[in-house]
Amino acid sequence: MSQSRYACVFSRALQGVSAPEIQVEVHASNGLPNISLVGLPEASVKESRDRVRSALSANGYSLPPKRITVNLAPADLPKQGSRYDLAIALGVLAATGAVTFAKSLAGFEFLGELSLDGRLRPVPGMLPAVIQASQSGRCVIVPEESLPECARVTGANVLGAAHLNEVCAYLLEEYELPAANAMLTETAPPVYQKDMQDVQGQLQAKRVLELCASGGHSLLMIGPPGSGKSMLAERFPTILPPLEEEQALALAAIHSVAGKERAPDEFYQRHFESPHHSATAAAMIGGGSGSVIQPGAISLAHHSVLFLDELPEFQRPVLEALREPLETGRVQITRVNQKVSFPAQVQLICAANPSPSGFFADDPQGRCKDTPEQIARYQRKLSGPLMDRIDCHLEVPAVEYAELAGQHKDANTETSSMIRSRVADCQARQQARQGCLNAEMPVSAMQQQWPLDDATHALLEKAMNRLGLSARGYHRILRVARTLADMQGQTDIGAQAVSEALSYRRLDRWGGQG
């Protein structure tokens, strides 16, 4: 007479920043002793059979000579990684009758890789899994090393274990596992090692950086080597307000998918992502050669800062791949068997030299030796559509000796904290007026909420005809002008704000067209 047993254990897959529920179904029946895995498992998941078998054997769990079938449902969803090891091991123990758990497995979800001796190891994407598991009302058991990361999820019931034996003892009501919420400590306000006060001179550049921080605008700085472009960009996060709880959690979830846990003291800080100019399209946008689709630099800078130094040195296809994410705030990566979406709401800060030699054509010392054709070819590395998507273009001149030597002390007294306070006030006015930053303002709402007088309309019409601005460029100028008016505490957008906003679009023809 045949005897069969069945067990079902819950776990979570990883698909972008979402974590679909996975039912690990285990069926044990008479037959040739074997463990088979079904349900579209990748090679790394199939290796779980050997890890589970070794971990159970090493800890004295004797399995009966049964044919064991493990189904990872839903079967049409690709399964990658070692995240199902713990769930499979517990399902095998329950289905074979090797252990009769006192607690019902239906109230738990299990995540973690098993070592051959039964120790639990962390896996990427733990944070998204815990966020979605908390919505199901189940308790999540994770490797103990992941508890500090999971503690950030408000309302989640998360327990940590260092070993398979600890999990089994807990389910047998013989042991208590530590909870994640007990490890949550009060996070101090962000402390920055760099400060805007470190930058000598460049008052105009600092003003434009404050403008971009206040309204959420993108910026391209063009100047000779050593003018302070990179130094200014590195200090840009220090003038941005700290991340809100929801924003910080969304950013941490993306880093968790990439296997990069955010440090507790940096949890509310804006991340500064600066890929090298040799980065590929997959490194910038996301993807990769493996079965697990990884987030790219633009997603790792979600709600933060993406800095592209030496912009013309990036490969043209890499820069062109940024065009859609900069507009939509999301990255869509499509493969044959899956489609993944990553959020990518970034503030783009770019830096470039004006010519191959690094200097302006009218350099007073004659250091630019490039011909006009060489300069034009260098500038055409940046397409017109990409330049059109950058709100502000700024020329950053070399620093004068008097400023570099600190002789103008009154011109360098503002700290990042002082600027950040003004930025926070300006952003608060925007949120109170329209519920979003000016850079995020929908085109459909601009005309109604941002009325212009006749003089301002005439100025914009003249500028569009002379500069050949696109509709996108027109709307970006309006958004920048609205931020300038907010910085001055003005209710309406005046001609002065529009004139200054237009002055930051003088390089629209700098890049190549098409």
XYZ file of all heavy atoms in Angstrom, residues 68 88 185 225 227 232 264 315-316 324 396 441 450 483:
116
model
N 11.060 12.259 -3.615
C 10.636 13.587 -3.166
C 10.596 14.531 -4.371
O 11.592 14.716 -5.074
C 11.588 14.137 -2.089
C 11.633 13.193 -0.883
C 11.170 15.539 -1.663
C 12.694 13.543 0.137
N 12.870 24.902 1.131
C 12.888 23.533 0.610
C 13.249 22.544 1.714
O 12.622 21.478 1.846
C 13.877 23.425 -0.563
C 13.360 24.220 -1.761
C 14.107 21.969 -0.949
C 14.341 24.310 -2.919
N 17.620 50.825 15.815
C 18.128 51.910 16.650
C 17.740 53.253 16.042
O 17.481 53.368 14.840
C 19.649 51.833 16.784
O 20.238 51.859 15.473
C 20.060 50.537 17.483
N 39.675 71.733 -17.002
C 40.104 70.875 -15.882
C 40.501 71.717 -14.672
O 41.107 72.791 -14.803
C 41.323 70.130 -16.451
C 41.171 70.214 -17.935
C 40.477 71.519 -18.210
N 38.539 73.310 -12.596
C 37.660 74.440 -12.262
C 36.716 74.116 -11.108
O 36.022 75.007 -10.612
C 36.858 74.872 -13.490
O 36.098 73.790 -13.997
N 32.186 70.293 -6.921
C 30.836 70.824 -6.706
C 29.808 69.700 -6.741
O 28.897 69.643 -5.905
C 30.516 71.862 -7.781
C 31.199 73.233 -7.643
C 31.158 73.983 -8.958
C 30.555 74.052 -6.537
N 23.533 51.867 8.251
C 22.519 52.531 9.083
C 22.699 54.048 9.173
O 21.722 54.788 9.153
C 22.699 51.861 10.453
C 23.290 50.527 10.144
C 24.173 50.737 8.955
N 30.177 56.122 -23.956
C 29.769 55.618 -25.259
C 28.409 56.210 -25.639
O 27.522 56.346 -24.811
C 29.683 54.098 -25.229
C 30.992 53.402 -24.906
C 30.820 51.903 -24.816
O 30.108 51.280 -25.593
N 31.494 51.298 -23.847
N 28.262 56.543 -26.907
C 27.026 57.177 -27.386
C 25.789 56.332 -27.060
O 24.788 56.873 -26.566
C 27.139 57.431 -28.890
C 25.900 58.076 -29.539
C 25.800 59.543 -29.188
N 24.725 60.198 -29.933
C 24.914 61.017 -30.970
N 26.142 61.274 -31.385
N 23.907 61.585 -31.563
N 14.980 57.848 -22.248
C 13.638 57.460 -21.798
C 13.519 57.430 -20.273
O 12.548 57.969 -19.725
C 13.262 56.106 -22.393
C 11.843 55.676 -22.026
C 11.467 54.344 -22.642
O 12.236 53.845 -23.480
O 10.413 53.791 -22.279
N 31.487 76.763 -16.265
C 32.207 76.911 -15.000
C 33.638 77.346 -15.323
O 34.446 76.534 -15.776
C 32.215 75.592 -14.197
C 32.941 75.774 -12.866
C 30.797 75.090 -13.980
N 6.376 68.722 -12.268
C 5.068 69.300 -12.568
C 4.571 68.835 -13.933
O 5.247 69.007 -14.955
C 5.168 70.826 -12.547
C 3.838 71.527 -12.685
S 2.792 71.289 -11.232
C 1.518 72.509 -11.542
N 0.453 78.046 -13.187
C 1.551 78.989 -13.354
C 1.206 80.015 -14.432
O 1.744 80.004 -15.542
C 2.838 78.262 -13.746
C 3.338 77.258 -12.741
C 2.905 77.087 -11.463
C 4.365 76.289 -12.947
N 3.600 76.075 -10.854
C 4.504 75.569 -11.731
C 5.182 75.960 -14.018
C 5.426 74.534 -11.582
C 6.113 74.942 -13.870
C 6.236 74.234 -12.670
N 11.029 77.747 -10.208
C 11.895 77.519 -9.051
C 12.632 78.794 -8.665
O 12.783 79.104 -7.469
C 12.901 76.396 -9.351
O 12.189 75.210 -9.712
C 13.760 76.100 -8.135
